[in-house]
Amino acid sequence: MAELAPLMDSLIDAARAARLNAHAPYSRFKVGAAILGESGRVFVGANVENAAYPQGQCAESSAIGAMVAAGDRRIRMIVVMGGEPADPLCTPCGGCRQRIREFAAPDTPIHVCDAAGLRQSFVLEVLLPQSFGPDNLTF
């Protein structure tokens, strides 16, 4: 796990920087995400709220869009950062869990952070048990 420390630090820093750029004028709850793609590149996203609330985007969704636009199709690891140390844990919402599942295996690590750093790590299968994914649609 020690060899992953610099990579984790890099992903946490990328999610922290993305969080600072979030557009959250309504909730004032900024979230950033950083994805390690199959190529080894890092893709970031931030939540982008909209006055027409359902039209907003979550940080994870924004990062997935950046990954796909760049040509990667697999998530190797994801970091989600939201809130302050005293805030409740900010895990991906249900919709983002399904979006992550589209591009990640059940054992893909999801690291949840706050402004101070890592709070808890999960694998996707824990956050989205018995998920429905691309493998359910084999033809």
Side-chain angles (χ1 to χ4, degrees), residues 6-119:
L7 179 57
M8 275 293 298
D9 290 344
S10 173
L11 288 171
I12 289 171
D13 289 345
R16 182 178 287 116
R19 179 178 180 262
L20 294 175
N21 290 323
H23 178 72
Y26 309 108
S27 72
R28 298 197 185 351
F29 191 82
K30 295 183 172 194
V31 180
I35 290 174
L36 176 64
E38 63 193 338
S39 67
R41 293 179 292 174
V42 174
F43 305 96
V44 298
N47 59 320
V48 180
E49 295 178 352
N50 189 290
Y53 293 138
Q55 302 308 312
Q57 285 182 225
C58 295
E60 302 91 329
S61 182
S62 295
I64 289 169
M67 179 190 77
V68 170
D72 273 22
R73 293 291 185 269
R74 296 298 299 164
I75 296 171
R76 290 173 44 196
M77 184 186 319
I78 185 168
V79 168
V80 178
M81 178 172 292
E84 299 300 323
D87 291 342
L89 200 60
C90 177
T91 60
C93 72
C96 283
R97 292 174 192 204
Q98 186 63 47
R99 286 179 186 93
I100 293 166
R101 176 63 180 94
E102 183 70 18
F103 299 98
D107 63 349
T108 300
I110 300 173
H111 304 288
V112 179
C113 303
D114 60 27
L118 181 65
R119 289 215 21 213

